[in-house]
Amino acid sequence: MNQLIKNNLLGIKELSLQEIDLIFETADYFKDVINRSIKRVPSLRDITIANIFFENSTRTKLSFELAEKRLSADVINFSSSSSSVKKGETLIDTVNNILSMKVDMIVIRHSSPGAPHFLAKHIDSKIVNAGDGTHEHPTQALLDAYSIRERLGYIEGKKVVIIGDILHSRVAISNIFALQKLGAEVMVCGPATLIPKYIRTLGVKVELDIKKALNWCDAANILRIQLERQRMPYFPSLREYTLYYGVNEEIVKELDKEIIILHPGPINRGIEITSRVADADNALILDQVENGVAIRMAVLYLLASK
Ligand code: ASP
C-alpha cells in the first residue's frame, strides 16, 4: 500500500492497519528530515492549508503549522475567538469562504463531536481532524502509538493503560482504536464516574486500582482531567483525585518492572502526574511532541499526494 484510502483523516476508527503502517513509514522518513540541518522539503509547494481552530490549542496547532511549513505549504491560520463566528456565521459558510480563497486542505479543531465529519459531507476539500470535542483526535493517537513503537521496538502484544478522565477524552478513544489495530492490549483506569459504561464493548479492560493497572502495563498514557468539559462534579476534589489516581514516583518505584510514561499534554503537574515522573528518562512526553511534527507531515503529505 502506498496511498491512504480516503481523502480525509477524520478518525482512527476509519483507518486500516495498513494505512497506519504507511503513515508510520512515511513519518520515519520525515523524522530524519526534521533532524537534518535543512529541515524543509518541497513536497507541498503550491498547496495551501488553512488551520481552523474553534477551540484552544498549543501543541496541536503549532505542530500542524510547523509540519506544513517544513513541507513548504502555504499556511493560513484562523481562530474562532477573533473571527466572524462571533457575528453569527455558520461553520459551513466560514469554511466555504476560506475555500474560495483557493485553499486546498483544512485542518480543523472543534468543540462539537462530529464537526469535521459534517464538513466532509458538505464541502469539497481534504480535511484533517485536529480534535473534535470528546470524540477523536487521530493525529494524537498516531503520534502516541508511534512514540511507543519507537521506544519499545514494536506494539503488537504490548499492554497499554490509559489513566484518568476517559469519559471526556478524545485522546483515549483514538488511542484505543489505534492501539488495538496495532495489536496491543488496552486497559483504562480511573474513577468509575469517569469511565464510560460502553467502554467494555470496545474490548478494553477496566481497572479502578491504579497500582494494579500500572503493574499490568508496559506503557501508561496519563490524561488530564478535562474540567472544561465537566458539567457536574465527578469526584469530590482534585486533591482526592491526586491521592487515588495521581501517578507519583513512589508508585512507579514500587513496580516490578520499568514502564514507559506518556501524556498528551497539557500536563497539570502535581495533579495527574508529579514532576519527577513527568521529567524522568522513561517519560516520552517530549518525544511525543517531536514525533507529532513527523506524524502530521506524513498525514498531510499522504493526503495531498492523493
Ligand atoms: N491536548 C489533548 C487534546 O486536545 C489532551 C488534552 O487537552 O488534555 O485533547
Side-chain angles (χ1 to χ4, degrees):
M1 168 172 266
N2 56 8
Q3 261 204 343
L4 296 178
I5 296 165
K6 297 201 174 146
N7 270 336
N8 303 313
L9 176 61
L10 301 180
I12 301 287
K13 197 172 181 191
E14 295 94 46
L15 279 186
S16 66
L17 171 60
Q18 290 73 18
E19 287 176 290
I20 298 178
D21 284 339
L22 174 65
I23 294 170
F24 283 4
E25 272 167 38
T26 315
D28 287 341
Y29 168 74
F30 285 126
K31 184 146 184 193
D32 283 347
V33 169
I34 59 180
N35 279 296
R36 299 201 296 235
S37 52
I38 297 170
K39 301 175 177 57
R40 192 182 276 253
V41 284
S43 318
L44 295 200
R45 203 157 53 198
D46 297 329
I47 300 276
T48 305
I49 304 179
N51 300 314
I52 59 175
F53 277 64
F54 293 87
E55 211 189 53
N56 294 344
S57 170
T58 309
R59 268 155 300 275
T60 307
K61 192 156 182 258
L62 290 176
S63 179
F64 267 109
E65 194 174 337
L66 203 56
E68 291 151 4
K69 289 182 170 163
R70 301 269 193 249
L71 291 165
S72 306
D74 291 324
V75 180
I76 55 172
N77 287 306
F78 162 98
S79 85
S80 59
S81 53
S82 55
S83 75
S84 292
V85 172
K86 293 260 182 278
K87 299 181 192 165
E89 191 169 56
T90 67
L91 176 61
I92 292 198
D93 281 339
T94 303
V95 174
N96 270 329
N97 276 274
I98 293 171
L99 291 176
S100 312
M101 299 178 210
K102 309 291 172 228
V103 166
D104 305 291
M105 237 193 254
I106 298 281
V107 175
I108 177 172
R109 167 167 288 193
H110 203 284
S111 54
S112 298
H117 307 67
F118 170 74
L119 269 190
K121 280 202 189 123
H122 292 95
I123 61 164
D124 186 23
S125 168
K126 292 174 176 163
I127 298 174
V128 182
N129 179 2
D132 60 326
T134 51
H135 182 217
E136 279 231 38
H137 193 349
T139 54
Q140 178 72 48
L142 290 168
L143 73 90
D144 290 346
Y146 184 86
S147 304
I148 296 175
R149 165 188 174 266
E150 185 177 62
R151 185 64 73 102
L152 299 182
Y154 56 94
I155 292 193
E156 199 169 355
K158 296 290 182 204
K159 295 175 173 165
V160 183
V161 63
I162 305 168
I163 301 172
D165 186 357
I166 313 295
L167 186 63
H168 300 98
S169 174
R170 53 193 173 211
V171 175
I173 301 302
S174 289
N175 260 271
I176 291 170
F177 291 140
L179 292 165
Q180 287 181 335
K181 286 180 196 223
L182 288 159
E185 273 187 77
V186 186
M187 176 186 275
V188 295
C189 173
T193 48
L194 288 177
I195 297 190
K197 300 252 183 319
Y198 67 80
I199 208 84
R200 283 179 208 270
T201 64
L202 300 181
V204 303
K205 295 182 192 308
V206 176
E207 176 58 70
L208 303 182
D209 181 327
I210 193 166
K211 288 189 183 167
K212 286 190 188 155
L214 290 173
N215 261 314
W216 172 85
C217 74
D218 301 300
N221 199 346
I222 301 166
L223 305 177
R224 180 177 67 89
I225 296 291
Q226 315 247 313
L227 284 176
E228 74 278 19
R229 300 211 166 92
Q230 299 186 5
R231 293 198 188 93
M232 53 184 263
Y234 287 88
F235 46 85
S237 67
L238 275 180
R239 207 164 153 259
E240 186 158 319
Y241 179 83
T242 305
L243 202 61
Y244 288 101
Y245 290 101
V247 181
N248 58 45
E249 50 284 19
E250 287 80 37
I251 304 184
V252 173
K253 254 190 231 146
E254 276 172 21
L255 301 175
D256 312 329
K257 56 179 175 184
E258 181 158 302
I259 62 167
I260 54 169
I261 302 283
L262 296 101
H263 192 307
I267 293 177
N268 285 306
R269 288 177 185 263
I271 298 180
E272 72 274 9
I273 189 167
T274 60
S275 285
R276 286 212 180 164
V277 175
D279 301 331
D281 287 343
N282 60 334
L284 310 192
I285 302 171
L286 293 179
D287 300 299
Q288 290 170 264
V289 179
E290 179 181 345
N291 289 335
V293 178
I295 283 287
R296 290 175 175 120
M297 285 174 83
V299 167
L300 295 166
Y301 169 78
L302 288 167
L303 286 176
S305 55
K306 278 205 60 153

